[in-house]
Amino acid sequence: MNLRFSFPILVALAACSPTKQAERPPLEGASIGGAFSLTDQNGRVTTDRDFAGKYRIMYFGYTFCPDICPLDVQNISAAVKIVEKEQPGLGARIVPVFVTIDPARDNPAALRQFTAAFHPRLVGLTGSPDQIARVAREYGVYYARGQGSAGGYLMDHSRAAYLMAPDGKPLALLSQEGPPRKIADEIERWAK
């Protein structure tokens, strides 16, 4: 074998097949999330530690929302169902979580009715106005009550669904735009 000819060929082959570095989650290292203690749709105190070892999708909205929140939660829930079908082991480790930004109206009973309409494992969380403000701040979520009567007002809020790792660290911001397949692809891309 003539090394003079083999070495350039090996270099050329190596250049054509670069080693692919592992992709890093887009929110890796971000200061998003943290400890919380809220009340679930069944009236039980629920903390971030209850989700240890599970991937969670954290979405902030309110049950009286006339359009965006139900559509987003429907898409997230459908995406989780896709993952459950394609990768049952992974799907069982994903918990969709809906945190209200309207604790004045979203008591456990309202959350129970809302969550039951979307996914059997969807967890709805509420709390005192101070508790909700603290959690929203930790997740970088903006919200404010709009004008209207005591029972008939809208909430203005940012629109975000965070995929969190089993250790509670942020992985990715999931898009609610487009079909559930797109959300499922992002979940499968970052959750292992």
Side-chain angles (χ1 to χ4, degrees), residues 24-180:
R24 299 172 74 83
L27 294 181
E28 185 177 284
S31 296
I32 297 171
F36 61 82
S37 179
L38 298 170
T39 302
D40 75 6
Q41 71 267 29
N42 298 310
R44 290 188 299 247
V45 172
T46 302
T47 72
D48 56 298
R49 293 179 303 280
D50 292 317
F51 303 107
K54 303 258 185 197
Y55 290 95
R56 65 198 112 156
I57 301 170
M58 300 292 291
Y59 180 85
F60 292 76
Y62 66 112
T63 67
F64 286 79
C65 181
D67 47 21
I68 297 300
C69 299
L71 180 60
D72 287 351
V73 174
Q74 178 181 353
N75 286 338
I76 290 166
S77 296
V80 171
K81 288 175 184 174
I82 290 170
V83 175
E84 289 170 334
K85 183 176 180 182
E86 293 177 352
Q87 297 185 43
L90 174 59
R93 294 176 52 219
I94 298 170
V95 180
V97 181
F98 177 85
V99 182
T100 184
I101 46 91
D102 185 15
R105 293 184 293 185
D106 286 344
N107 59 29
L111 287 173
R112 189 169 41 255
Q113 183 177 6
F114 183 83
T115 58
F118 297 103
H119 193 282
R121 291 186 298 112
L122 176 61
V123 176
L125 297 175
T126 190
S128 70
D130 287 342
Q131 288 174 309
I132 296 299
R134 193 174 319 113
V135 174
R137 196 171 34 254
E138 289 176 358
Y139 281 85
V141 172
Y142 159 82
Y143 69 96
R145 181 183 158 170
Q147 295 181 350
S149 65
Y153 57 88
L154 297 177
M155 297 291 290
D156 185 24
H157 64 97
S158 52
R159 191 172 169 209
Y162 295 105
L163 177 63
M164 308 298 284
D167 63 0
K169 304 275 195 245
L171 293 174
L173 185 62
L174 300 175
S175 171
Q176 290 90 52
E177 301 297 328

